[in-house]
Amino acid sequence: MTDADGGFSGSDAQRSTQSSGVTGIDLVRRTLEEARAAARARGKDAGRGRALPPPVRRVAGQRRSWSGPGPDVRDPQPLGRVARDLAKTRGWSAHVAEGTVLGEWSSVVGHQIADHAIPTALNDGVLTVAAESTAWATQLRMIQAQILAKIAAAVGHGVVTSLRITGPAAPSWRKGPRHIAGRGPRDTYG
């Protein structure tokens, strides 16, 4: 009793469920076990969708053979690939992307912007950038969307969600850890 697509129709599935007496979560468990058994029969690692690694075949008393001319898992791997795989398996990919933004700022945004602005902090997707003058801070605020697009292209989307652009800090008369409240510096020189 199949429908036009070759699958079971709803009433047939209900009849087979009612005749076997299995309902609800038990039906789901049974279906999952059948799917896992079918995957194991095809040589897949059940639940993950990957093929099982080939079994290691060793003859008693025989040494392990060399890898041969083709690529093998025992061959030396490039350090960049190994580091990238380690970061991915340990869940460090977000931290690596953040470090790339801060460490390779000039290659991410370009030398012209990097000569006049430096990143100071990256917290919760907000990148704080200090410009060397108020004019550069204003320019960077105007091209903020382009800077975010360059960062997303270099390290991926979602690493930097917004920019906080600051100009140079004003000089402060406040020196040291202690301060007396008041109006600040006054004419005390004469």
Side-chain angles (χ1 to χ4, degrees), residues 4 16 22 28-29 34 39 50 81 122 140 156 162 164 168 187:
S16 65
V22 180
V28 172
R29 284 187 184 133
E34 290 172 359
R50 291 182 241 142
R81 183 185 311 156
L122 178 57
L140 292 177
S162 64
R164 183 174 167 256
D187 185 17

Side-chain angles (χ1 to χ4, degrees), residues 37-58:
R40 280 190 215 104
R42 289 190 312 260
K44 300 277 185 178
D45 192 3
R48 297 193 188 130
R50 291 182 241 142
L52 292 172
V56 178
R57 298 184 341 187
R58 290 219 177 124

Side-chain angles (χ1 to χ4, degrees), residues 12-169:
D12 293 334
Q14 287 175 347
R15 270 189 246 124
S16 65
T17 304
Q18 291 171 352
S19 64
S20 64
V22 180
T23 58
I25 192 71
D26 295 327
L27 178 63
V28 172
R29 284 187 184 133
R30 188 177 75 185
T31 307
L32 180 62
E33 286 303 318
E34 290 172 359
R36 284 183 178 160
R40 280 190 215 104
R42 289 190 312 260
K44 300 277 185 178
D45 192 3
R48 297 193 188 130
R50 291 182 241 142
L52 292 172
V56 178
R57 298 184 341 187
R58 290 219 177 124
V59 177
Q62 185 180 9
R63 289 184 63 186
R64 186 178 358 174
S65 65
W66 299 102
S67 66
D72 190 16
V73 294
R74 297 174 289 170
D75 289 340
Q77 301 294 320
L79 183 61
R81 183 185 311 156
V82 173
R84 185 174 43 252
D85 292 343
L86 177 68
K88 192 179 294 184
T89 58
R90 298 283 175 111
W92 299 338
S93 297
H95 298 296
V96 171
E98 291 173 3
T100 302
V101 171
L102 297 174
E104 298 181 16
W105 175 250
S106 61
S107 65
V108 170
V109 297
H111 292 290
Q112 186 177 12
I113 293 173
D115 289 343
H116 301 285
I118 57 168
T120 57
L122 178 57
N123 297 322
D124 298 327
V126 179
L127 179 66
T128 304
V129 178
E132 70 177 13
S133 67
T134 55
W136 267 101
T138 303
Q139 290 296 324
L140 292 177
R141 285 185 193 108
M142 289 174 25
I143 61 168
Q144 185 168 330
Q146 289 89 351
I147 294 172
L148 285 172
K150 285 182 180 182
I151 293 171
V155 298
H157 296 284
V159 176
V160 177
T161 56
S162 64
L163 293 176
R164 183 174 167 256
I165 300 169
T166 60

